[in-house]
Amino acid sequence: DEHIDAPEGLANKTIGVTRGAVEDMELSELAPASTTIQRFEDNATTISAFLSGQVDYIATGNVVAAEIAERNSERAPTLVYQLKDSPCYVGMNKNEPALLAEVNRLIAQGLEKGTLNAMSQRWFNADLPDNFGS
């Protein structure tokens, strides 16, 4: 599998991205001038462009990547370069310390037993980030 260690590795590549998405902003900031960024109006069009071979690479989040893998396992995207570590959060009322403690306990338990990583594999076809839970 190909792996890119730095933004310079994106040079001379054609990358599809959904216009205005976080990935578009990050890619626009990081990619060398020789990178061709093809912007599409929505995720569905970006996915179609990737699946049809209009673009060789796709800059997208893990949820969209999982959708692509489900639609076409032979063209399932693999991570070659991570543009941004974009964490997800659990929101709750500040006045619920018992709920916060229970959520934190369940997350710690899931990390310890590996069930959170198994869910990440199942739903996103990817391991949890190395710094998850830090």
Side-chain angles (χ1 to χ4, degrees), residues 82-126:
Q82 185 169 326
L83 293 173
K84 181 179 177 96
D85 184 8
S86 184
C88 296
Y89 299 93
V90 176
M92 62 188 74
N93 188 323
K94 288 182 181 182
N95 298 321
E96 297 282 350
L99 177 60
L100 175 61
E102 181 64 8
V103 168
N104 285 338
R105 184 189 72 76
L106 291 170
I107 290 171
Q109 179 184 16
L111 287 171
E112 183 180 325
K113 293 183 176 183
T115 53
L116 279 181
N117 195 63
M119 284 188 269
S120 182
Q121 279 288 338
R122 178 178 177 197
W123 295 105
F124 304 124
N125 296 315

Side-chain angles (χ1 to χ4, degrees), residues 5-112:
D5 294 320
E8 295 75 29
L10 301 172
N12 303 313
K13 303 216 183 306
T14 300
I15 305 171
V17 66
T18 301
R19 186 181 312 280
V22 170
E23 296 84 12
D24 182 13
M25 293 180 277
E26 290 295 318
L27 187 61
S28 297
E29 189 174 309
L30 295 173
S34 64
T35 304
T36 300
I37 302 172
Q38 288 192 340
R39 291 174 177 85
F40 300 95
E41 296 306 313
D42 53 41
N43 282 339
T45 309
T46 305
I47 291 169
S48 293
F50 178 74
L51 289 175
S52 68
Q54 285 180 320
V55 295
D56 298 316
Y57 297 85
I58 186 171
T60 192
N62 57 358
V63 173
V64 174
E67 181 181 338
I68 294 170
E70 185 178 307
R71 284 175 57 179
N72 188 332
S73 61
E74 291 180 19
R75 185 99 164 112
T78 58
L79 179 65
V80 296
Y81 183 72
Q82 185 169 326
L83 293 173
K84 181 179 177 96
D85 184 8
S86 184
C88 296
Y89 299 93
V90 176
M92 62 188 74
N93 188 323
K94 288 182 181 182
N95 298 321
E96 297 282 350
L99 177 60
L100 175 61
E102 181 64 8
V103 168
N104 285 338
R105 184 189 72 76
L106 291 170
I107 290 171
Q109 179 184 16
L111 287 171
E112 183 180 325

